[in-house]
Amino acid sequence: MESEIARVQTAIQKTAEQLAELYEKAQKEGGESSAAIVEVQQMMLEDEDYLDAVYHIIRTETVNGEYAVSVTGDNFARMFEDMEDEYMRGRAADVRDISGRLARNLAGQEDADFACMEPSIIVAEDLSPSQTVQMDKEKILAFVTVHGSTNSHTAILARMMNIPALIWVPMNLDEIRTGMKAVVDGAAGEVIFEPTDDQCREAEEKIKAAQDKFRLLQELKGKENVTSDGRKINIYANIGSAGDVGYVLENDAGGIGLFRSEFLYLGREDFPTEEEQFQAYRQVVQTMGEKKVIIRTLDIGADKQADYFNLGKEENPAMGYRAIRICLKEPETFKTQLRALLRAAVYGNLSVMYPMIISAEEVMRIHDIAEEVEQELKKAGVPYRVPEQGIMIETPAAVMVSDELAELVDFFSIGTNDLTQYTLAIDRQNQRLEDFYNPHHKAILRMIKMVVDNAHKCGKWVGICGELGADLALTEEFVDMGVDELSVAPPMVLKVREKVRAM
Ligand code: PEP
Ligand code: MG
């Protein structure tokens, strides 16, 4: 036990040294306010109550330091979360952050500094969406992880950026060192550490062949998404941040069918302000000119966590307090985002889309809140425009009442990732269930058809923005069903166009 305590003390020292370095860096690059955040964490690391609790757990429960630090971190964070004072509530994220760093140091894990790395392959146990959004995408050559799922948001981000990502790779991470050479073949699902000269040559040939194929696809730029018998479909792209618009234009998408706005809320210490959001949305719609930009309101929760939301632990987060449920329960957060959206709508072809809808009542409540925001902006003399408003169809409930919902909204966009998860009762994050997670299941395809028919009966258009929209094996079926739009990862736009034109 005492040796475990000594181990914790060594880790505390290492953590303190890291924080001192971070403090200097923050002061130089981010100014006093960034440095103050580090300072709060330095104080916590010296806090006697916190340290006593860690030592007490080790002594009384005969557990290791990592466990004691993690439990103490959770307990203290919860205590802060319950405080009246808003500033103190915000400190919960700091406790979690410092406890995480301390536990990583105890476990001897290196703390990657993503900001200043060379172009690299990232090898990890797992990656959360909030870690992924913080990385400088220009510098990531590939992801290779032991855990993860093809339907997770980390995988979705990788797909959007056209970064090869291998998951579920059995590796001993202790044997993998920073600076090692590796070849990742995304198409074959293979990684070779310390490749031979022959293996490197072979990889270079494959890269060249892929580049040739890529060049051929480029010839489809500027061409229509039209079948040989004249049927047309819109092909839009999915993005996660304002900085991703480059991928959309580069791949000649007709618009943005899903801007996952919650990524603006990840990887930071506090809520983005109305002004920050307004600037981000305006930048996207202005850059896209006349092309449609569909911004989905905050879909936080489940695998997309931001500590300052204080969502707490849930038994069943995918079915929990998330997305529109948070927005309806905490309308001030929702209204801030809606204000930013209505203001940004003045600058281009912006539409708003609401996630995780299950009933007509929810849509009516949303409209009431949106109307309140409109009246407030009008009264304050702030320029705004009420955009087209649609909903995501990603729960079986929404499918079954899609006839009623179609009357209330301007469009539908089918979120097949969640629709598959909820229809098949299969957690999209659980890698053990990947063999069962079958988005081609007849139930899903029939649901899509039903939604399309109900939308069209009411004169509304309908798209698919889940990953299934890019599934080339289904493109023909979707066109036959009458789907009006497919919104896919930007690197898939030209491939789907090629498929449509070959029909
Ligand atoms: C979906 O569920 O299909 C979807 C597009 O939303 P997300 O993947 O962000 O949950
Ligand atoms: Mg979803």
Side-chain angles (χ1 to χ4, degrees):
M1 253 177 294
E2 291 313 309
S3 66
E4 200 55 31
I5 286 175
R7 218 164 62 79
V8 173
Q9 283 165 342
T10 310
I12 289 175
Q13 211 169 347
K14 182 166 180 197
T15 309
E17 284 162 15
Q18 287 171 346
L19 288 181
E21 269 175 40
L22 261 183
Y23 182 83
E24 256 188 48
K25 191 163 175 261
Q27 236 181 356
K28 259 192 237 141
E29 294 170 10
E32 283 309 320
S33 57
S34 305
I37 294 169
V38 182
E39 207 172 357
V40 170
Q41 298 199 359
Q42 285 174 319
M43 272 156 41
M44 281 176 182
L45 196 61
E46 290 165 7
D47 185 88
E48 275 186 22
D49 292 334
Y50 177 83
L51 296 177
D52 280 351
V54 174
Y55 300 147
H56 181 74
I57 293 176
I58 293 176
R59 289 199 176 101
T60 54
E61 298 183 32
T62 38
V63 290
N64 72 4
E66 287 89 328
Y67 179 83
V69 166
S70 153
V71 169
T72 307
D74 271 352
N75 290 345
F76 273 67
R78 245 177 259 135
M79 178 180 77
F80 280 116
E81 276 160 15
D82 289 341
M83 287 185 179
E84 288 283 312
D85 184 282
E86 196 175 329
Y87 173 81
M88 294 312 280
R89 278 205 305 276
R91 302 289 62 75
D94 293 313
V95 180
R96 288 218 161 88
D97 210 356
I98 192 67
S99 303
R101 181 181 285 279
L102 186 52
R104 283 197 299 280
N105 281 333
L106 265 167
Q109 291 168 357
E110 287 188 28
D111 206 30
D113 184 355
F114 297 124
C116 59
M117 67 185 191
E118 296 291 311
S120 307
I121 296 168
I122 307 285
V123 181
E125 188 76 31
D126 203 355
L127 288 167
S128 70
S130 67
Q131 283 171 321
T132 315
V133 287
Q134 288 180 66
M135 294 181 192
D136 179 348
K137 292 156 199 166
E138 298 303 319
K139 293 182 180 163
I140 302 172
L141 302 175
F143 291 122
V144 183
T145 60
V146 180
H147 299 293
S149 125
T150 49
N151 308 298
S152 71
H153 284 95
T154 301
I156 288 171
L157 281 171
R159 220 168 281 144
M160 183 185 70
M161 300 179 283
N162 211 13
I163 293 174
L166 304 186
I167 56 154
W168 226 7
V169 178
M171 300 177 281
N172 182 354
L173 291 180
D174 291 338
E175 289 172 2
I176 292 158
R177 296 177 315 278
T178 301
M180 246 183 178
K181 194 169 183 175
V183 169
V184 175
D185 181 343
E190 261 174 24
V191 55
I192 305 169
F193 291 103
E194 302 289 29
T196 62
D197 287 349
D198 278 352
Q199 286 169 320
C200 285
R201 253 192 308 278
E202 202 182 310
E204 273 154 20
E205 276 165 23
K206 282 188 185 171
I207 290 172
K208 192 171 167 308
Q211 284 170 339
D212 290 346
K213 223 186 222 168
F214 178 78
R215 260 193 296 276
L216 269 180
L217 267 184
Q218 303 311 298
E219 289 173 12
L220 290 176
K221 283 189 181 169
K223 302 232 164 100
E224 273 194 299
N225 311 307
V226 62
T227 64
S228 53
D229 62 352
R231 286 174 297 159
K232 287 187 188 160
I233 187 163
N234 288 319
I235 304 178
Y236 292 175
N238 296 345
I239 62 166
S241 74
D244 298 333
V245 179
Y247 301 119
V248 179
L249 298 175
E250 204 178 289
N251 290 285
D252 196 34
I256 292 173
L258 168 65
F259 177 173
R260 290 183 162 94
S261 73
E262 61 277 6
F263 285 116
L264 287 177
Y265 292 70
L266 298 184
R268 49 185 296 147
E269 298 284 326
D270 209 344
F271 292 95
T273 61
E274 175 185 326
E275 199 53 32
E276 272 175 81
Q277 294 191 57
F278 164 66
Q279 296 297 353
Y281 305 147
R282 185 179 67 163
Q283 188 190 331
V284 174
V285 294
Q286 271 183 333
T287 315
M288 292 296 290
E290 289 178 358
K291 292 184 177 150
K292 198 187 273 298
V293 176
I294 303 177
I295 303 182
R296 171 175 78 186
T297 58
L298 184 60
D299 186 15
I300 207 95
D303 67 324
K304 289 174 285 197
Q305 290 287 340
D307 285 346
Y308 59 87
F309 269 86
N310 295 324
L311 298 179
K313 280 222 164 12
E314 292 182 293
E315 283 294 319
N316 247 326
M319 299 205 203
Y321 189 51
R322 56 174 292 196
I324 202 69
R325 300 168 186 177
I326 297 176
C327 291
L328 291 174
K329 280 273 185 197
E330 299 175 33
E332 281 316 312
T333 303
F334 192 30
K335 284 173 78 173
T336 302
Q337 182 171 35
L338 288 175
R339 263 195 302 273
L341 287 166
L342 265 62
R343 287 173 56 200
V346 173
Y347 296 86
N349 191 355
L350 184 152
S351 303
V352 177
M353 170 160 84
Y354 304 105
M356 288 296 295
I357 296 298
I358 58 170
S359 70
E361 289 71 29
E362 278 175 348
V363 178
M364 288 188 275
R365 278 168 65 201
I366 291 168
H367 285 331
D368 287 346
I369 295 173
E371 193 149 329
E372 250 175 64
V373 167
E374 186 192 338
Q375 293 309 325
E376 285 166 15
L377 289 171
K378 191 189 269 178
K379 206 160 148 204
V382 178
Y384 71 91
R385 178 176 72 78
V386 179
E388 192 186 37
Q389 293 172 65
I391 55 170
M392 291 195 63
I393 301 286
E394 51 183 345
T395 63
V399 173
M400 297 313 291
V401 296
S402 52
D403 52 344
E404 270 179 41
L405 294 171
E407 310 262 355
L408 300 174
V409 299
D410 296 314
F411 65 92
F412 286 156
S413 187
I414 307 176
T416 50
N417 309 333
D418 278 315
L419 185 59
T420 307
Q421 140 164 284
Y422 297 124
T423 304
L424 306 184
I426 288 178
D427 178 359
R428 66 192 260 194
Q429 296 281 112
N430 188 336
Q431 64 189 34
R432 291 175 70 188
L433 299 175
E434 292 239 338
D435 288 346
F436 297 92
Y437 184 95
N438 171 21
H440 288 204
H441 194 295
K442 248 186 254 162
I444 308 296
L445 298 174
R446 284 183 192 172
M447 282 181 163
I448 294 174
K449 175 82 172 81
M450 181 172 173
V451 172
V452 172
D453 290 346
N454 281 334
H456 287 175
K457 262 183 232 156
C458 222
K460 307 293 163 71
W461 67 266
V462 51
I464 298 178
C465 64
E467 298 301 292
L468 204 61
D471 189 328
L472 300 175
L474 291 173
T475 310
E476 186 148 8
E477 193 160 343
F478 291 148
V479 173
D480 287 345
M481 282 183 192
V483 172
D484 301 286
E485 173 244 28
L486 295 171
S487 191
V488 301
M492 286 304 294
V493 169
L494 294 175
K495 293 183 188 168
V496 181
R497 177 172 300 163
E498 186 182 36
K499 187 84 194 173
V500 171
R501 293 176 65 86
M503 276 173 62

